[in-house]
Amino acid sequence: MTKNVAGLELPVERDCPFSPPAAYELLRGQAPISNVRLTSGGEAWWVSGHEEARAVLADGRFSSDKRKNGFPLFTLDAATLQQLRSQPPLMLGMDGPEHSAARRSVIGEFTVKRLAALRPRIQDIVDHFIDDMLAADQRPVDLVQALSLPVPSLVICELLGVPYTDHDFFQSRTTMMVRRTSLEDRQRAFAELRAYIDDLITRKESESGDDLFGRQIARQRQEGALDHAGLVSLAFLLLTAGHETTANMISLGVVGLLSHPEQLALVKADPGRTPMAVEELLRYFTIADGVTSRLATEDVEIGGVSIKAGEGVIVSMLSANWDPAAFKDPAELDVERGARHHVAFGFGPHQCLGQNLARMELQIVFDTLFRRIPTLRLAAPAEGLPFKSDAVIYGVHELPVTW
Amino acid sequence: MRIKADTGACVGSGQCVLTEPAVFDQDDDGLVALLTDHPDDQSAAQARHAVTLCPSRALSILQE
Ligand code: HEM
Ligand code: SF4
């Protein structure tokens, strides 16, 4: 296999905050699947094409088990890997029947119908934080702290059944965990949350609540044994997978719309366009690029290459979502594109469990924000914002807005 | 048009329900449940679209 771009090692940072790194296009231009060198050492297959990305992610011969030898170290660093190896695997890192059983025990909680029942509660949460924004005596306001982080944090409180009196604690610790602060502060917040969630699950085990964990506990009891540690891990998975992702997408969505006024005008003119605008923003920013790494467990012929058992594969969802073979003029942010086949939530058996919750949160936030503060604007040029260009999940650290 | 849903493969993404709620539903366990296996002319195009969006390839077209 030819080395594609001389001297290139992945991951690379974005050159422009609004588009994929230039190297992605070079790689995709040469082949939909190519061999690349990783900064962490070693090589891996790099999947750039949309069709090929879907094929790999839907193929059970590729493993998600990060603990396996040879798993490509892309956005995962050696320390995190060490930590993963010392704990029982989460749904995200399971394969085959084990994954299917873990996922099937919770998908009933995330159906389109069940989530619709959460809508009024999410609307209240969003309105509450916008009330606070409007009441603030100082502008600009940092939207990240005022809206993007607290909204998904409180939505996860709803999911986990965190009592109202603990919301402030939960929100401050979840925010601390994703802040640009010292490792020590983040670790302390993590430990406090872990202890809190452990205690919360213990309390739920002695009540019989009709919420997600109440139902999980009842089901487990019926099936035989209560798995306390498993429930704590599930709660943590929902928190870590659903908080920062949604928060970053709220911020970037607002940046994307405010810096494309003609697109924002379309959405404001007809909120019926919001769901498609959300899909387009998910595609355009593809914030979780690279979390979809896999390890081949068998020899696989795919996209014109032969991948051998034991080789690492990195599916670039960002590259796939900017593949002109699948999206016409991918660099255009076009809220009327009407394309739902993007892979911003992944594809295959691991496709995001919380995707329809995330969609609903984003729709409610964008609709409500631009309806209640129609003159909202960036208080600093978009290009100069502190983008999280080296983070696993793309976003902005701060987003000063005014009106 | 006739379609089939394989609940053994379904991973409960809800993509089909979002795409054509007149044809696809999810049961209480989150798995796909067809409201009809003969989508009418009005739903046919969206049902076909749902088949291509399903992340676990649990949906198929038996007859165009
Ligand atoms: C815009 C927001 C979000 C984005 C972009 C996103 C992205 C993703 C992606 C790409 C995956 C697939 C990972 C893989 O294939 O290895 C995934 C999986 C997952 N997501 Fe999300 N996510 C978002 C929000 C959420 C929310 C709100 C929740 C829950 C509250 C959530 C829970 C999960 C879980 C549990 C998985 C693992 C599913 C499995 O392994 O079967 N996510 N997400
Ligand atoms: S789109 Fe596929 S995986 Fe998702 S609910 Fe429908 S049948 Fe199941």
Side-chain angles (χ1 to χ4, degrees):
Chain A
M1 197 78 250
T2 50
K3 288 287 163 305
N4 281 293
V5 181
L8 176 69
E9 281 185 355
L10 292 160
V12 285
E13 291 182 15
R14 298 184 188 227
D15 320 87
C16 154
F18 294 107
S19 49
Y24 283 24
E25 203 159 322
L26 285 173
L27 287 168
R28 195 193 321 99
Q30 292 179 353
I33 303 185
S34 40
N35 196 252
V36 295
R37 246 206 316 272
L38 302 180
T39 311
S40 58
E43 296 179 1
W45 295 99
W46 177 258
V47 183
S48 315
H50 179 264
E51 190 188 326
E52 292 75 12
R54 298 219 294 188
V56 169
L57 294 176
D59 190 323
R61 293 173 293 180
F62 295 101
S63 169
S64 285
D65 187 350
K66 281 108 196 135
R67 300 167 310 158
K68 284 199 164 101
N69 276 333
F71 201 93
L73 285 177
F74 184 55
T75 53
L76 204 66
D77 57 58
T80 318
L81 188 71
Q82 204 57 43
Q83 204 186 348
L84 282 176
R85 288 203 165 130
S86 67
Q87 290 165 356
L90 298 168
M91 187 189 321
L92 257 172
M94 293 176 179
D95 295 325
E98 190 195 15
H99 168 259
S100 175
R103 180 154 173 140
R104 281 179 174 227
S105 68
V106 285
I107 51 180
E109 301 290 341
F110 291 87
T111 61
V112 174
K113 256 184 301 187
R114 204 185 266 286
L115 292 175
L118 262 181
R119 182 174 274 275
R121 202 33 218 134
I122 300 180
Q123 181 69 57
D124 283 350
I125 292 170
V126 172
D127 274 318
H128 165 81
F129 289 110
I130 294 179
D131 288 344
D132 285 356
M133 262 176 81
L134 287 167
D137 38 51
Q138 259 190 357
R139 290 184 213 160
V141 163
D142 176 13
L143 197 82
V144 173
Q145 298 297 327
L147 195 69
S148 311
L149 283 168
V151 167
S153 172
L154 281 200
V155 170
I156 290 166
C157 281
E158 293 293 316
L159 276 188
L160 304 191
V162 172
Y164 184 76
T165 44
D166 297 339
H167 281 188
D168 283 347
F169 165 84
F170 193 86
Q171 202 197 301
S172 72
R173 298 313 185 278
T174 48
T175 302
M176 183 64 81
M177 250 170 57
V178 298
R179 250 219 177 114
R180 245 200 312 193
T181 163
S182 70
L183 183 65
E184 211 185 2
D185 282 348
R186 277 183 281 143
Q187 280 174 340
R188 186 168 348 100
F190 180 85
E192 286 176 358
L193 263 176
R194 183 107 204 160
Y196 176 81
I197 288 179
D198 200 314
D199 188 53
L200 180 73
I201 303 285
T202 305
R203 271 183 282 154
K204 288 187 178 291
E205 283 161 6
S206 60
E207 298 159 2
S208 51
D210 189 29
D211 57 18
L212 193 159
F213 281 91
R215 287 185 289 270
Q216 289 293 313
I217 290 163
R219 177 203 281 252
Q220 289 192 355
R221 284 228 167 89
Q222 211 176 6
E223 285 168 2
L226 197 66
D227 175 12
H228 177 82
L231 290 172
V232 174
S233 299
L234 174 64
F236 237 87
L237 174 64
L238 297 179
L239 169 62
T240 49
H243 182 229
E244 202 187 352
T245 45
T246 312
N248 285 337
M249 205 50 234
I250 290 175
S251 303
L252 287 176
V254 169
V255 175
L257 289 171
L258 288 178
S259 45
H260 293 80
E262 71 304 334
Q263 298 295 313
L264 177 58
L266 287 168
V267 176
K268 279 183 177 168
D270 176 7
R273 290 194 178 101
T274 308
M276 283 324 302
V278 166
E279 297 305 314
E280 176 64 351
L281 290 162
L282 285 162
R283 177 198 73 82
Y284 186 76
F285 287 110
T286 313
I287 58 169
D289 183 39
V291 307
T292 38
S293 298
R294 300 290 189 260
L295 184 77
T297 59
E298 291 175 34
D299 295 353
V300 182
E301 294 286 330
I302 202 161
V305 301
S306 52
I307 299 177
K308 298 271 174 293
E311 290 179 342
V313 181
I314 295 155
V315 177
S316 172
M317 296 183 283
L318 177 57
S319 181
N321 281 342
W322 281 59
D323 180 352
F327 303 93
K328 187 169 172 282
D329 300 328
E332 295 300 320
L333 179 76
D334 174 5
V335 299
E336 293 190 294
R337 184 184 293 279
R340 299 227 355 256
H341 58 288
H342 65 75
V343 290
F345 288 122
F347 199 70
H350 291 276
Q351 192 183 55
C352 183
L353 177 70
Q355 58 182 295
N356 296 315
L357 178 60
R359 286 188 168 100
M360 189 161 72
E361 290 183 63
L362 294 168
Q363 290 169 14
I364 293 174
V365 166
F366 299 146
D367 271 342
T368 313
L369 184 64
F370 292 112
R371 174 169 49 78
R372 295 195 54 196
I373 317 184
T375 57
L376 190 82
R377 59 191 159 85
L378 298 175
E383 291 70 24
L385 292 170
F387 287 94
K388 301 183 179 177
S389 37
D390 59 350
V392 177
I393 308 293
Y394 190 53
V396 278
H397 291 287
E398 261 170 61
L399 178 52
V401 293
T402 192
W403 55 91
Chain B
M1 179 189 200
R2 215 153 69 77
I3 54 171
K4 198 182 104 182
D6 175 2
T7 49
C10 173
V11 296
S13 71
Q15 295 270 30
C16 54
V17 185
L18 280 188
T19 309
E20 187 42 281
V23 175
F24 305 99
D25 194 7
Q26 282 168 286
D27 66 16
D28 286 345
D29 293 330
L31 299 176
V32 61
L34 288 183
L35 297 172
T36 167
D37 59 359
H38 282 91
D40 60 22
D41 289 351
Q42 228 179 345
S43 298
Q46 282 300 86
R48 221 169 272 129
H49 189 41
V51 171
T52 68
L53 288 177
C54 172
S56 62
R57 314 240 151 111
L59 303 174
S60 44
I61 299 175
L62 296 180
Q63 193 193 313
E64 275 298 335

